[in-house]
Amino acid sequence: MSTCTQYTCKPTLCLNLHLSQTLSAESNDKGWFRSLFVHKVDARKDAHSNLLSKKETSNLYKIQFHNVKPECLDEYNNLEAEVQRRLHQDQDFPCEVVGSWNIWYGEQDQAVHLWRYRGGYPALTDCLQKLRVNKEYLEFRKERAKMLISRQNQLLLEFSFWNEPLPRKGPNLYELRTYNLKPGTMLEWGNRWARAIKHRQENNEAVGGFFSQIGDLYVVHHLWAYESLQSREETRNSAWQKEGWDVNVYYTVPLVRSMESRLMIPTKSSPLQ
């Protein structure tokens, strides 16, 4: 006797039950069959930080984002410039500011600082330990805290195929383009940009490229320099005339969760002018 005649059930319910059982069996069969042809990805043998960063240097970078009270921005810039000058003059501190900027277009009343630690994590640790017992620096932090609304930082490594950011004369307008990538896509991003960066170096606009190690992860920062907004537009448009640039954009856009562009003006004390 069938299940339908043994129990008084609705024909529609029985049909659905049989159909569900049939689809489940087919799905299992297809899943087993498909698994025979699925490509097995080998486990990565090294961290992407080792595969993408420069081998010839051991530089570690720190980027700071400071949201400043609007009425305090000028005073804040003067205070930061004085502290940076003293740190540069003191050879006992293994750190140097690469560039300092105020945001022109983007989040207003925001200051951005990019620091370099030659010697990597040991240099960073050495510097922090010395600053913790430096009375002048501790007083500076107290004064600066009165001017800030919030602050954030990240530790970065530089991509092996980008220029190392070096001091340059101005005046220049800087653009910091920040990409939040989907987890697991950093290697593909790096491989694509290693080929694409050649399309963006003719006008000396490529300043530096970095990826995060501590802080928000899977974050990429590209730093560009232009003579003006008009120069920026012309330079970016010219990239589309070069064979291969469109392919890079096509394959990298799907890797991005979100992106942000900040247009920045260097402070008077910034080595990148």
Side-chain angles (χ1 to χ4, degrees):
M1 184 178 294
S2 67
T3 304
C4 294
T5 55
Q6 185 177 3
Y7 300 98
T8 57
C9 64
K10 296 182 179 180
T12 302
L13 181 60
C14 293
L15 179 60
N16 289 341
L17 177 61
H18 294 159
L19 181 59
S20 175
Q21 292 171 340
T22 301
L23 291 175
S24 177
E26 291 179 353
S27 177
N28 289 337
D29 290 341
K30 290 180 179 179
W32 170 83
F33 182 74
R34 190 182 297 113
S35 68
L36 296 178
F37 300 95
V38 172
H39 175 63
K40 299 296 190 299
V41 179
D42 293 332
R44 206 166 66 207
K45 301 294 191 267
D46 205 350
H48 69 241
S49 59
N50 293 331
L51 297 173
L52 294 173
S53 60
K54 292 183 177 178
K55 301 294 187 297
E56 64 273 18
T57 65
S58 56
N59 294 335
L60 179 69
Y61 290 83
K62 178 175 69 175
I63 192 167
Q64 297 175 305
F65 300 98
H66 289 172
N67 292 305
V68 185
K69 296 176 182 178
E71 67 274 14
C72 298
L73 188 57
D74 289 340
E75 184 181 358
Y76 167 89
N77 286 336
N78 292 334
L79 184 62
E80 279 284 350
E82 177 62 22
V83 171
Q84 291 171 10
R85 183 185 65 81
R86 294 189 183 186
L87 287 176
H88 281 190
Q89 290 178 347
D90 193 337
Q91 298 299 316
D92 200 34
F93 289 94
C95 65
E96 57 188 339
V97 66
V98 176
S100 289
W101 302 269
N102 292 150
I103 301 299
W104 185 23
Y105 284 97
E107 189 165 357
Q108 296 295 282
D109 304 307
Q110 187 178 74
V112 179
H113 307 288
L114 182 64
W115 293 83
R116 181 191 291 118
Y117 297 86
R118 295 192 183 275
Y121 291 108
L124 172 68
T125 302
D126 181 32
C127 190
L128 291 179
Q129 289 175 343
K130 291 174 180 176
L131 289 176
R132 288 194 185 106
V133 295
N134 186 295
K135 293 183 179 179
E136 288 186 350
Y137 184 76
L138 294 176
E139 286 299 319
F140 153 73
R141 285 177 59 91
K142 288 181 181 179
E143 287 300 313
R144 187 184 65 180
K146 300 174 185 177
M147 307 175 191
L148 296 181
I149 299 172
S150 64
R151 58 196 179 99
Q152 180 190 15
N153 60 21
Q154 296 170 356
L155 292 181
L156 314 171
L157 295 177
E158 55 185 332
F159 284 110
S160 60
F161 48 86
W162 270 79
N163 308 331
E164 181 177 356
L166 299 173
R168 64 171 65 195
K169 296 180 180 180
N172 290 294
L173 169 67
Y174 288 84
E175 181 177 16
L176 182 66
R177 295 179 72 87
T178 300
Y179 303 87
N180 292 278
L181 304 185
K182 298 175 183 177
T185 62
M186 186 65 73
L187 277 177
E188 184 176 356
W189 176 276
N191 288 335
R192 291 291 174 185
W193 267 96
R195 294 189 289 267
I197 191 62
K198 63 183 180 181
H199 300 305
R200 297 295 309 276
Q201 291 181 318
E202 291 181 3
N203 297 325
N204 198 31
E205 71 266 24
V207 179
F210 313 90
F211 58 99
S212 62
Q213 279 292 282
I214 297 178
D216 290 340
L217 297 179
Y218 285 96
V219 177
V220 170
H221 299 288
H222 290 175
L223 184 61
W224 309 92
Y226 306 102
E227 293 180 358
S228 64
L229 284 174
Q230 182 63 32
S231 172
R232 171 185 178 272
E233 181 179 14
E234 293 170 357
T235 300
R236 288 176 56 80
N237 287 342
S238 68
W240 289 96
Q241 309 306 316
K242 300 169 185 176
E243 184 178 357
W245 177 253
D246 56 340
V247 175
N248 175 69
V249 174
Y250 178 83
Y251 282 106
T252 55
V253 165
L255 310 180
V256 179
R257 291 190 300 173
S258 65
M259 58 185 293
E260 181 178 1
S261 170
R262 296 175 174 89
L263 291 182
M264 310 186 300
I265 304 296
T267 62
K268 295 179 181 179
S269 61
S270 175
L272 285 170
Q273 285 295 311

